[in-house]
Amino acid sequence: MSQALAQIQPAQRAVRVLPRALTKRQKAAVIVRLLLSEGSPIPITALPEDMQADLTEEMGQLRLVDRETLDAVVVEFVSELEGVGLAFPGGMEGALKAMDGHISSEAASRLRRAGAGPADPWERLNALPPDKLLPVLEEEAVEVAAVVISKLPIARAAELLGKLPGERARRVAYAVSQTGNVDPATVRRIGQTIAQQLDAEPPRAFDSKPGERVGAILNVARSHTREDVLAGLDAEDAVFSAEVRKAIFTFAHVPARVAPIDVPKVMRVVDQGLMVTAMAAMPEVGEFLLSHLSQRLAQTFRDEIADRGVPHEKDGEAAMAAVIDGIRRAEKAREIALIQSEEG
């Protein structure tokens, strides 16, 4: 709570009658103006657009508020805050976020399709994972994609733009320069249309694509099993095989997928003994990792690898799988960022 609100003395909180009658909207405008003057951050953009407009209109109509009236408004506001026992998320989208993991995806989709979605469709779209929005940028008109990019948080927009093919990314980026005269109603309609299209998609039993699921399984399979399966997929369905290969990430892929700056973090993701065994099982990858450590630490690992000797195939593969599992967990926790694979 801001310093100005806290300065109202407890004795003053007995005031109940305002010297000057104000409506609830005017009182809200007074509180917002006071908090803004104190430099307190207020998430006004989280309000529905009509409420934002009403609040701004009230602030434009008010002129001067005397000290006694201000104190009384603050006392009333603080008293209401102190009387709050439980706050619920605003709007249906806020409720759906709170219930995430506690209700089925089918139930959530049904609620959205029934028209109970948020007043601002962009709140819904901003909460979607990148893989749900990427097809919109790839398939919609560049003008629509430019509006989407402009409405997303900068970090999210940059991430999605980086996933687009070069030519498409350049066209979308240029189209952003043409959005200066787009009116809010059009932006809102675009958001509503995209949200409705996404909500109309039937729920999927699996979160990941088939190629990603097979790739994840082959990641931890024995090497000869992985090669046999891939050879069979090449013969049966070359397109699907390519998807699977792109999803596969094994210890052999570490030099191509792990940035040199992240190597010290990778060396800490699993037990040191397992890391030594993995590097002993595949020396070329081990050399890549050691080349991006300090000389002293690298020499320590080299001595341990020499003492370890060549591990049994089963032990080596288990250690390499443990390293990859640790890298995946570090990526999920956003401790490192893997280099995107262009092909398997």
Side-chain angles (χ1 to χ4, degrees):
M1 190 178 298
S2 74
Q3 183 178 0
L5 297 182
Q7 285 177 346
I8 303 298
Q9 298 299 320
Q12 292 177 285
R13 297 188 182 184
V15 178
R16 286 294 178 267
V17 180
L18 296 182
R20 175 182 166 195
L22 296 177
T23 66
K24 287 187 176 182
R25 294 201 310 187
Q26 289 173 328
K27 293 175 187 177
V30 169
I31 292 297
V32 169
R33 181 68 184 90
L34 176 62
L35 292 174
L36 290 175
S37 68
E38 292 291 317
S40 300
I42 309 176
I44 297 176
T45 55
L47 297 174
E49 291 183 358
D50 56 343
M51 292 183 67
Q52 296 181 42
D54 290 342
L55 180 61
T56 304
E57 183 179 352
E58 291 295 344
M59 293 181 68
Q61 292 177 353
L62 288 171
R63 291 295 180 265
L64 297 175
V65 175
D66 58 79
R67 170 59 63 177
E68 189 176 4
T69 300
L70 174 63
D71 290 349
V73 171
V74 171
V75 167
E76 181 180 349
F77 177 70
V78 172
S79 297
E80 290 188 6
L81 281 183
E82 291 176 343
V84 173
L86 183 65
F88 285 84
M92 180 54 67
E93 193 62 31
L96 289 172
K97 287 180 181 178
M99 294 295 287
D100 185 32
H102 301 285
I103 63 174
S104 67
S105 58
E106 292 86 349
S109 296
R110 188 166 63 250
L111 286 170
R112 291 192 175 104
R113 287 196 297 269
D120 182 2
W122 292 104
E123 179 185 348
R124 156 86 170 126
L125 296 176
N126 287 344
L128 292 176
D131 64 319
K132 291 283 287 184
L133 285 174
L134 189 59
V136 174
L137 300 184
E138 292 174 334
E139 299 166 8
E140 295 287 347
V142 290
E143 295 80 6
V144 172
V147 170
V148 175
I149 284 291
S150 300
K151 287 293 292 183
L152 293 175
I154 293 176
R156 173 70 63 81
E159 179 183 7
L160 287 169
L161 202 63
K163 293 178 179 293
L164 292 175
E167 177 60 25
R168 178 70 176 181
R170 287 190 289 272
R171 292 178 61 198
V172 171
Y174 175 73
V176 172
S177 69
Q178 310 298 309
T179 60
N181 295 324
V182 179
D183 61 274
T186 299
V187 172
R188 183 181 180 82
R189 284 196 299 272
I190 290 174
Q192 288 174 333
T193 300
I194 294 173
Q196 289 169 359
Q197 290 174 349
L198 294 176
D199 289 337
E201 294 180 359
R204 296 184 302 178
F206 303 103
D207 293 331
S208 56
K209 297 178 181 179
E212 294 174 348
R213 297 200 300 275
V214 175
I217 294 170
L218 294 182
N219 272 336
V220 295
R222 299 286 294 272
S223 58
H224 68 272
T225 300
R226 182 166 53 247
E227 294 307 321
D228 286 347
V229 171
L230 288 174
L233 289 177
D234 287 339
E236 292 288 337
D237 189 335
V239 175
F240 181 63
S241 179
E243 293 179 6
V244 173
R245 288 180 181 277
K246 189 173 182 179
I248 289 177
F249 175 38
T250 66
F251 194 66
H253 297 116
V254 166
R257 300 290 306 279
V258 174
I261 195 173
D262 287 331
V263 167
K265 296 177 184 177
V266 167
M267 302 300 288
R268 297 193 295 268
V269 298
V270 294
D271 175 80
Q272 184 170 322
L274 289 173
M275 180 62 78
V276 168
T277 300
M279 291 192 291
M282 195 168 289
E284 60 273 23
V285 176
E287 194 55 42
F288 163 77
L289 295 170
L290 296 178
S291 67
H292 296 291
L293 297 177
S294 67
Q295 291 186 358
R296 176 178 159 185
L297 182 57
Q299 187 57 51
T300 299
F301 272 107
R302 285 192 174 94
D303 292 342
E304 292 189 20
I305 291 171
D307 293 339
R308 175 65 176 80
V310 179
H312 187 278
E313 180 182 357
K314 183 178 179 180
D315 294 336
E317 293 203 352
M320 290 187 287
V323 173
I324 293 302
D325 181 63
I327 292 175
R328 285 294 197 189
R329 283 187 279 106
E331 180 195 27
K332 187 174 182 180
R334 297 186 178 180
E335 296 174 3
I336 66 172
L338 292 177
I339 299 170
Q340 292 301 311
S341 173
E342 294 298 329
E343 59 183 17

